[in-house]
Amino acid sequence: MAQLMHRVVLPVTFGLAVLVVWQGVIEAGMVSKLVLTGPVQIVTALITEAPTLLSNGLITLTEAVSGFVLGSLAGLATAALFIRFGALQRAVFPLTILMEAVPVVAILPVLMLWMGNGMAPKIFIAAFLSFFPMLVNAYRGFSNVDADVQELMLSYSASPEQLFWKVRLPAALPFMFTALKLSACSSIVSALVAEWLASDQGLGYLIISYGQGYRVADVWAAATLACLLALAFYGITAAGEKWALSRRTR
Amino acid sequence: MTSASAASLTRADTASEATGAAGLVAQGVSVTFRRGTQVIDALKDVSLNIPRGTRAALIGASGCGKSTLLRVFADIVQPTSGTASHYGLTPAEARANRVYALVQQGSTMLPWRTVIDNVALGLEIAGTSKPERLERAAESLALVGLKGFEKSLPAELSGGMRQRAAIARALTLRPRFLLMDEPFGALDEITRDRLHFELLRILEETGATLFLVTHSIAEAVILSDKVVVMTPRPGRISQVIDVDLGQHRTPATREDPRFGHYELMLRRALHHDA
């Protein structure tokens, strides 16, 4: 009971208190309504703008998830190729690290020239930013096989494929989920920022267009939805991790 | 008795020669490692003959090349010169045909696999069907006294139980040679003592040839018919001592005056070389 008190009641009470004080500050007129709006107004905006928010949210989510899946798969495949072909790893890895330094959002205009104004460049950016965490972490995970295990597998005359599927891949699983959890949040943010720069749909576009109309509560409502989407995406990935790791130890 | 050839003239050896089956044979094996500009002679001109069915221990100070010699037989390290063979097969052929099984110092279990799936790993790699490999793994587990722990995870076992599981994993391959690299080194003395006699019983039941690397004098004497003493820099064989304590050994064997005699002999051999 005392534990429940500490774990749930205290933080919830504190959170509610913050909301009440926030609303109080707004109601007292201490801050201009153009600068900050109150929680009540944000919730109201979430309800009245729900259809617009949800349809645009779905677009942002689609871009983020597509980019996340494509980028993570590409990163995983590249890491597997690096493990299988050491020469390839030595030749290509420095270049990939250099590529990671490319501020991809800054080259969005070029991407739009190539891919148009639709979802494609946003998916590309989300994928680009999901690629490197997976590549680096999966490669580390695949390499995380100690010499004794490799020696044992050698004594069994195991093929490189058997070593990969039976040892390297399961050993890398926790590392892969580290990357996935990282990319789950960053893919939402990168889709959002890309929409922000050039788009006519999605939550990023919506935030800009609300902002230009000084619809502060609506901006906050869109930001809240983006936040909820990122949290949900992270939560699903974390649940996937639990499931996969428990299945691994059957 | 300073060379391997002198030591190979034992009763067991003449018996194996009669049946035409050589055991573990090394002829003039040298291994050199290069570390930067430094050249290290891990093994220098090592010749050895361990007849089939013999229990052999390899003892020496660390860095004497005993693990390297085991790895030459396991086809994990390639000799710079000289040849090694098992029953007339090259180490590469022996590895490909899974003639030997390796037991390492750490039990090296895959932590995400249950004990039985770890024990069945070698057969899984060999392509044995699932029902058969699980049946054989269960048999081996029973042989090492781990019945009932099939579905446990390695982390749930004690160090001694994990090492038993590693022995069971080697036995599922039904190897003719058990190559063991300090398999009991990480265990406490009580557990080690118990496992010694279990290993002896298992060897009696399976008829496998033992090739054991150890740094424990008592372990070498109680477990083997033949102790190969090695000296470091360069790694070479200094003596081969036949341990005549009979085929069947029990904890009482340690109270046999001959046991103390062999221990003393080995200690002198090791210190003489050092």
Side-chain angles (χ1 to χ4, degrees):
Chain A
M1 234 6 238
Q3 259 209 323
L4 189 76
M5 174 82 188
H6 281 104
R7 280 201 174 163
V8 181
V9 178
L10 282 180
V12 167
T13 313
F14 180 73
L16 285 175
V18 169
L19 289 179
V20 167
V21 171
W22 178 1
Q23 190 69 39
V25 167
I26 298 300
E27 295 302 326
M30 288 161 79
V31 183
S32 158
K33 291 211 167 171
L34 282 180
V35 176
L36 190 66
T37 186
V40 172
Q41 284 82 351
I42 294 171
V43 172
T44 314
L46 267 172
I47 294 164
T48 53
E49 291 292 311
T52 320
L53 284 171
L54 285 179
S55 65
N56 284 283
L58 192 63
I59 285 165
T60 305
L61 191 64
T62 308
E63 292 163 353
V65 173
S66 312
F68 168 86
V69 170
L70 290 174
S72 301
L73 282 178
L76 188 62
T78 310
L81 283 174
F82 279 3
I83 280 291
R84 183 70 180 80
F85 306 104
L88 185 76
Q89 188 263 337
R90 282 185 290 279
V92 179
F93 208 45
L95 188 70
T96 49
I97 294 300
L98 269 180
M99 268 173 65
E100 195 186 2
V102 172
V104 67
V105 174
I107 59 163
L108 189 65
V110 186
L111 292 178
M112 282 170 59
L113 271 177
W114 293 344
M115 301 180 206
N117 197 21
M119 287 165 86
K122 284 85 183 177
I123 293 174
F124 179 86
I125 287 178
F128 190 88
L129 291 173
S130 301
F131 175 79
F132 295 101
M134 181 53 93
L135 171 62
V136 172
N137 278 287
Y139 184 75
R140 260 230 315 271
F142 291 153
S143 318
N144 180 40
V145 173
D146 58 57
D148 277 350
V149 174
Q150 296 200 38
E151 209 166 74
L152 184 72
M153 292 297 275
L154 179 64
S155 82
Y156 291 150
S157 297
S159 67
E161 286 71 28
Q162 285 174 321
L163 182 65
F164 181 82
W165 291 107
K166 296 192 192 300
V167 178
R168 290 194 194 279
L169 193 65
L173 216 53
F175 292 80
M176 283 154 54
F177 273 100
T178 302
L180 290 179
K181 286 191 291 187
L182 226 95
S183 301
C185 291
S186 80
S187 64
I188 299 265
V189 173
S190 48
L192 211 66
V193 172
E195 286 170 353
W196 203 347
L197 291 173
S199 190
D200 50 13
Q201 54 178 0
L203 279 182
Y205 156 77
L206 212 56
I207 287 173
I208 292 295
S209 108
Y210 284 153
Q212 283 164 350
Y214 298 105
R215 296 163 66 177
V216 180
D218 293 341
V219 170
W220 280 83
T224 306
L225 180 60
C227 192
L228 289 176
L229 288 180
L231 271 178
F233 196 9
Y234 180 89
I236 289 169
T237 314
E241 177 181 30
K242 266 200 174 146
W243 177 81
L245 291 186
S246 71
R247 259 193 62 90
R248 189 179 70 148
T249 52
R250 266 169 307 147
Chain B
M1 250 215 300
T2 50
S3 80
S5 56
S8 68
L9 295 171
T10 62
R11 208 156 30 88
D13 192 45
T14 38
S16 75
E17 267 165 18
T19 58
L24 277 176
V25 178
Q27 279 173 329
V29 169
S30 296
V31 174
T32 51
F33 291 122
R34 231 168 264 279
R35 194 168 293 153
T37 52
Q38 216 181 346
V39 176
I40 297 157
D41 285 311
L43 287 177
K44 183 119 187 157
D45 196 24
V46 168
S47 294
L48 185 67
N49 182 5
I50 309 292
R52 169 184 197 157
T54 305
R55 299 164 294 191
L58 203 54
I59 196 167
S62 46
C64 70
K66 54 193 194 295
S67 288
T68 306
L69 184 55
L70 179 129
R71 279 172 175 68
V72 167
F73 282 120
D75 191 39
I76 292 168
V77 167
Q78 303 306 318
T80 315
S81 63
T83 56
S85 64
H86 309 234
Y87 282 108
L89 298 174
T90 65
E93 289 165 341
R95 180 163 70 87
N97 292 306
R98 300 176 175 93
V99 167
Y100 75 81
L102 186 66
V103 180
Q104 297 151 302
Q105 180 168 16
S107 51
T108 46
M109 297 277 139
L110 300 178
W112 56 85
R113 283 179 170 240
T114 58
V115 168
I116 195 159
D117 283 337
N118 264 294
V119 169
L121 180 64
L123 292 175
E124 191 178 325
I125 299 293
T128 309
S129 74
K130 192 165 185 178
E132 194 191 336
R133 68 178 188 247
L134 289 182
E135 193 189 316
R136 274 168 66 178
E139 270 171 32
S140 308
L141 278 171
L143 200 59
V144 300
L146 280 182
K147 211 179 166 82
F149 292 94
E150 290 85 354
K151 296 286 167 206
S152 304
L153 289 172
E156 294 162 356
L157 302 187
S158 68
M161 288 161 93
R162 271 204 297 278
Q163 205 56 46
R164 278 174 213 235
I167 294 171
R169 179 173 59 192
L171 295 175
T172 54
L173 293 169
R174 298 188 181 141
R176 277 183 283 182
F177 293 101
L178 264 180
L179 303 182
M180 303 180 104
D181 190 3
E182 298 184 20
F184 310 118
L187 301 180
D188 65 86
E189 199 160 349
I190 300 161
T191 310
R192 208 185 312 162
D193 273 355
R194 212 169 41 224
L195 284 183
H196 285 163
F197 295 102
E198 286 196 22
L199 176 63
L200 287 169
R201 173 180 58 80
I202 288 163
L203 289 172
E204 268 176 49
E205 284 177 35
T206 59
T209 301
L210 174 67
F211 190 73
L212 170 89
V213 167
T214 180
H215 51 231
S216 159
I217 292 172
E219 182 168 290
V221 175
I222 199 72
L223 288 181
S224 53
D225 306 305
K226 199 188 263 296
V227 183
V228 180
V229 182
M230 293 188 70
T231 53
R233 284 173 290 275
R236 60 169 94 221
I237 294 174
S238 65
Q239 277 191 55
V240 178
I241 294 168
D242 288 310
V243 178
D244 189 14
L245 287 170
Q247 180 66 29
H248 186 71
R249 298 175 190 187
T250 62
T253 309
R254 277 197 231 108
E255 287 152 38
D256 188 317
R258 286 177 300 170
F259 181 85
H261 162 74
Y262 285 120
E263 267 195 328
L264 195 64
M265 237 170 113
L266 269 178
R267 185 158 283 122
R268 280 193 184 135
L270 285 163
H271 284 270
H272 172 72
D273 297 323

